[in-house]
Amino acid sequence: MSLNLSNKIRTVALLGHGAVGKTTLVESLLAATGAIVNRGSVEKGNTVCDFDPVEKQLGHSLQSALVSLTTADTRIHLIDTPGYPDFAGQAISALAAVDTALIVINAQTGIELMTERMFVAAGERGLCRMLVINKIDADHIDLGALVNDVREHFGKQCLLLDLPTQHAREVVELLGHTDGDSDFASVAAAHRALIDQLVEEDDDLMARYLEDGADPSPHELHVSFEAALRAGHLIPILFVSAKTGAGVPQLLDALAKLAPNPAEGNPPPFYRGEPGLAPVPFAAQPDDALHVLAHVFKVVVDPFIGKLGVFRVHQGTVRKDAQLYAGSAKRPFKVAHLYCLQGKDYVEVAALVPGDMGAVAKVDGIEFDCVLHDSHDEDNIHLKPLVFPQAMQGLAVQTRRKGDEQRLFEILHKLELEDPCFKVERNPGTNETVIRGLGDMHLRAKLARMQQQYKLELDTSEPQIAYRETINGKADGHCRHKKQSGGAGQFGEVMLRVEPLERGAGFEFVDVVKGGAIPGVFMDAVQKGVRQALAEGAVAGFPLHDLRVTVFDGKTHPVDGKEVAFVAAARKATLQAVRYAGPVVLEPLVTVEVVSPETNIGDVTGDLASKRGHITNTQPRPAGAVAISALMPLAELGDYQSRLKSLTGGQGSYSVAFSHYAQVGDEMQQKLVSLFKPDNPAEE
């Protein structure tokens, strides 16, 4: 096995809440290794990772960004991720590409919402985790209390790997130091706790340690350190000030010497999914001589280069001009250009080995989460999919200029390709285009990008609710359409009956006309008229569903009988019948699952009940949380994200799934009926 090229590679994602200093930390790491000359700042908008104009304008990351640096003869690929919950999709995507999760905590604000979420998500993915406490030079902070809070939240396996000293101007690492001064803890005690934890990973090492009492050498501890990281028995805590550079050399040293290379981390969860067969785990080997396996964890639609697939190589070597397959595609594509990404810059390279991250451009078949390979033997290899939060916040969008509709759909498709948490819906019932994301900030960023990058002006509004109408009883309808205008006239007469069907049954059209009262040639016109009436609604302007229309009689005229007459007669007869058949308005109900801290359960359930919600279940969850299930009208969810955020201090989350349609209350029906003004009132 040829691992010599990969054992000097590290892959790391910087994760954590917004404003903890991840992007600034990347700048400090790049500057410390000579990858950049001067360190940029988020405030000035000149950082390597926040290069998008909207990011510069808002002052925080909106998307993940890749950079690489070299230290101690080791190549480190870093992914800087956004920290605000609205952009969680970009952070979660990075988990599929790295071996190590570097979770950054702001010393001033402590453990925040995304700190906890990303810590758990990285653990569930089997990544090695390290905690980095940033801004240790800030005023009025208590690092000792913060470390205690970290251990209380994340477990006693969170142990100090270094300590700040000289009032946060320096940092002392603990593996090689048995004593010394620090700002808040005993170096000797922290050193001993770390060694004790590491020797427990190896029985022979533990026996020698207990026998002679001497610390094992760093070389002897390396295997134990890797084993403890993989198993989650050790989660190192490091201290830095990205602003002053304190602790940055120690962090680089830890990444180069202690973070796992592709062969040392937990194996990526690949599986073989043959059609019709149960999935079988597949072990990818970080061997540069085997067949290629690479996973696309990010898609970028660049205005100059085009569609870009960003991937991590897990097996084999990807070379320029090679032939690769995307997913189960039967036709290969040529790697015309092979790139490494350095922020916004695309650096062409000749080859990428296991552990490397790179990109290929202008390949239509590449999609997010697909596997690239060079042999049909791997056609059915997949990587275990990540779990993303559901896009719940919605906005209806409409172009300001006529003729921009096609451009709108093309641009929305590009944005949807890039972001697994951004969805586009076209609702035929309301004739709206609705964009959905993880929150208001998420959608505003998309709108800003469409305006700045694509010069597309949009109007927005709250999405309409897709109400429906149906009937509760039977009724007959009759219309004779007769029109004479001096020349050839129009004549068509239709008699029909409407009756309800079960919820979800849709629409049935039945023809029982006998004796040619309505010639067969006109029956399609009759059905067209019926469908027109169903589409426009009878009492509140919403489409009619779940009913049967039976045409049983009618008349025609040998000269004036025409299709247009039967369309009009059938439409009016249907509307007339529906009005006498007990028409009602239906609304969509959804099942909502809210995960909230247990201390807020009363506020959450009370709020759901006040919005016509019916609580169906509550289940305890780990870490003092509770899951509350409720059935409620979709119309009440318009501002639920902001309400839940206020009720739970930002700690709550929710998911929604459509349940069924149900009749609205009398008061709501009267309101909806009063708002309906038909364009073409039916003739009685």
Side-chain angles (χ1 to χ4, degrees):
M1 181 177 286
S2 174
L3 291 176
N4 59 313
L5 295 175
S6 295
N7 60 10
K8 288 294 187 179
I9 293 176
R10 307 290 183 268
T11 55
V12 181
L14 275 74
L15 307 161
H17 202 79
V20 299
K22 298 184 296 297
T23 301
T24 303
L25 180 56
V26 172
E27 288 291 306
S28 294
L29 293 170
L30 291 171
T33 56
I36 57 175
V37 177
N38 297 310
R39 183 167 63 88
S41 72
V42 173
E43 293 75 17
K44 293 179 180 178
N46 60 350
T47 63
V48 174
C49 292
D50 284 357
F51 53 84
D52 184 271
V54 181
E55 289 179 316
K56 295 180 180 181
Q57 176 185 334
L58 297 177
H60 61 79
S61 302
L62 303 177
Q63 57 190 345
S64 60
L66 279 68
V67 297
S68 299
L69 54 87
T70 301
T71 182
D73 197 30
T74 301
R75 185 78 165 165
I76 301 175
H77 296 289
L78 292 172
I79 306 179
D80 179 29
T81 67
Y84 289 106
D86 282 27
F87 309 100
Q90 293 285 312
I92 293 171
S93 299
L95 299 178
V98 300
D99 299 311
T100 302
L102 208 63
I103 298 160
V104 185
I105 300 172
N106 184 344
Q108 296 171 292
T109 54
I111 297 170
E112 298 172 271
L113 175 63
M114 287 297 286
T115 315
E116 197 152 5
R117 286 186 182 176
M118 297 315 300
F119 180 89
V120 172
E124 291 175 344
R125 194 67 181 182
L127 302 183
C128 299
R129 292 169 291 180
M130 297 183 178
L131 298 171
V132 176
I133 297 177
N134 188 25
K135 304 186 181 182
I136 58 173
D137 57 323
D139 295 329
H140 311 299
I141 59 174
D142 188 340
L143 293 178
L146 177 55
V147 169
N148 291 335
D149 194 31
V150 165
R151 287 176 173 161
E152 187 174 319
H153 270 81
F154 301 140
K156 300 300 182 183
Q157 68 271 32
C158 299
L159 295 176
L160 300 171
L161 191 61
D162 57 34
L163 277 168
T165 184
Q166 299 181 29
H167 304 291
R169 289 192 294 270
E170 297 289 341
V171 168
V172 56
E173 64 87 22
L174 296 174
L175 272 178
H177 290 81
T178 58
D179 54 31
D181 297 324
S182 83
D183 290 344
F184 71 90
S186 164
V187 171
H191 168 85
R192 187 57 47 213
L194 184 61
I195 298 298
D196 288 347
Q197 180 71 19
L198 292 176
V199 296
E200 287 184 4
E201 297 295 324
D202 186 316
D203 291 341
D204 292 338
L205 197 63
M206 169 71 86
R208 293 200 305 272
Y209 175 64
L210 293 176
E211 184 176 338
D212 56 31
D215 289 347
S217 68
H219 176 73
E220 290 177 306
L221 287 172
H222 180 81
V223 173
S224 294
F225 197 98
E226 297 295 342
L229 276 181
R230 284 195 301 272
H233 296 163
L234 172 63
I235 299 171
I237 302 174
L238 300 101
F239 295 86
V240 301
S241 169
K243 182 179 177 181
T244 68
V248 169
Q250 288 79 6
L251 175 58
L252 284 169
D253 199 51
L255 293 177
K257 296 180 180 178
L258 301 175
N261 64 39
E264 293 171 327
N266 285 319
F270 280 103
Y271 67 94
R272 187 183 295 276
E274 301 281 358
L277 299 177
V280 178
F282 179 86
Q285 302 294 328
D287 186 335
D288 53 31
L290 297 178
H291 284 171
V292 169
L293 274 183
H295 175 256
V296 177
F297 66 92
K298 182 178 174 68
V299 171
V300 179
V301 182
D302 188 279
F304 303 106
I305 293 183
K307 186 178 178 182
L308 199 76
V310 186
F311 58 87
R312 151 81 185 263
V313 182
H314 290 276
Q315 178 179 289
T317 302
V318 178
R319 292 184 171 86
K320 184 179 180 297
D321 296 327
Q323 300 282 330
L324 294 179
Y325 300 94
S328 59
K330 300 304 179 185
R331 295 184 60 184
F333 67 88
K334 182 181 179 181
V335 182
H337 299 278
L338 188 60
Y339 301 103
C340 272
L341 303 184
Q342 193 73 354
K344 67 179 179 180
D345 297 326
Y346 304 114
V347 182
E348 282 213 55
V349 294
L352 297 171
V353 299
D356 277 330
M357 298 182 197
V360 291
K362 299 179 181 178
V363 181
D364 290 336
I366 286 185
E367 303 290 345
F368 173 77
D369 206 33
C370 76
V371 172
L372 307 181
H373 52 99
D374 60 358
S375 166
H376 283 305
D377 292 343
E378 283 79 38
D379 278 351
N380 296 302
I381 301 297
H382 311 276
L383 192 64
K384 180 183 176 182
L386 295 157
V387 179
F388 292 96
Q390 192 173 356
M392 297 308 309
Q393 190 86 359
L395 272 181
V397 295
Q398 186 176 16
T399 58
R400 289 182 184 173
R401 292 190 300 269
K402 288 187 176 180
D404 275 351
E405 290 83 3
Q406 186 58 39
R407 281 192 68 226
L408 170 64
F409 291 118
E410 291 172 357
I411 293 167
L412 289 177
H413 178 63
K414 292 177 181 178
L415 297 179
E416 203 172 16
L417 287 175
E418 293 182 324
D419 191 338
C421 293
F422 178 73
K423 303 298 179 184
V424 181
E425 299 173 358
R426 179 65 184 171
N427 192 328
T430 61
N431 198 31
E432 286 183 319
T433 299
V434 178
I435 58 174
R436 295 199 179 276
L438 299 183
D440 181 64
M441 191 186 298
H442 191 192
L443 295 181
R444 283 192 287 110
K446 299 297 184 187
L447 294 172
R449 185 175 172 195
M450 283 190 275
Q451 181 179 8
Q452 293 188 16
Q453 181 174 326
Y454 296 103
K455 312 301 180 188
L456 184 66
E457 298 285 342
L458 297 175
D459 291 321
T460 64
S461 59
E462 288 294 318
Q464 297 180 42
I465 301 300
Y467 292 104
R468 291 178 176 178
E469 295 179 20
T470 192
I471 55 176
N472 283 334
K474 294 182 181 181
D476 289 355
H478 167 235
C479 179
R480 175 184 291 177
H481 179 84
K482 185 177 180 180
K483 187 175 182 181
Q484 196 72 36
S485 57
Q490 297 176 6
F491 183 90
E493 186 172 353
V494 175
M495 286 174 271
L496 52 76
R497 179 176 298 111
V498 298
E499 55 189 313
L501 297 176
E502 292 183 0
R503 292 281 189 269
F507 162 63
E508 288 183 15
F509 180 81
V510 181
D511 169 18
V512 295
V513 176
K514 296 179 180 178
I518 300 177
V521 69
F522 292 133
M523 196 51 68
D524 284 346
V526 173
Q527 185 170 170
K528 181 178 179 181
V530 170
R531 290 186 178 276
Q532 283 184 1
L534 300 184
E536 66 190 55
V539 292
F542 303 110
L544 281 150
H545 288 259
D546 306 334
L547 74 164
R548 178 187 293 121
V549 177
T550 303
V551 181
F552 59 85
D553 203 356
K555 289 182 181 178
T556 186
H557 188 278
V559 176
D560 294 342
K562 291 185 175 60
E563 286 189 8
V564 64
F566 280 100
V567 170
R571 172 185 165 273
K572 294 171 185 176
T574 303
L575 292 174
Q576 182 191 76
V578 167
R579 291 193 180 108
Y580 289 105
V584 294
V585 178
L586 305 176
E587 65 178 339
L589 299 187
V590 292
T591 300
V592 183
E593 183 180 78
V594 183
V595 178
S596 161
E598 194 172 10
T599 52
N600 302 118
I601 186 173
D603 294 333
V604 172
T605 55
D607 179 72
L608 290 171
S610 73
K611 298 297 182 178
R612 298 192 286 149
H614 173 65
I615 308 300
T616 58
N617 194 20
T618 58
Q619 289 286 341
R621 289 284 182 90
V626 63
I628 305 160
S629 297
L631 190 67
M632 66 186 302
L634 179 62
E636 301 291 352
L637 280 178
D639 62 343
Y640 189 67
Q641 185 176 58
S642 59
R643 297 206 314 268
L644 183 62
K645 182 178 180 180
S646 175
L647 290 169
T648 64
Q651 298 295 309
S653 63
Y654 73 105
S655 61
V656 174
F658 172 75
S659 178
H660 64 281
Y661 272 85
Q663 185 174 333
V664 301
D666 292 341
E667 184 178 345
M668 177 63 74
Q669 172 137 339
Q670 290 174 10
K671 177 181 177 181
L672 294 171
V673 170
S674 68
L675 295 173
F676 178 49
K677 295 179 174 58
D679 294 332
N680 299 298
E683 298 174 10
E684 298 293 343

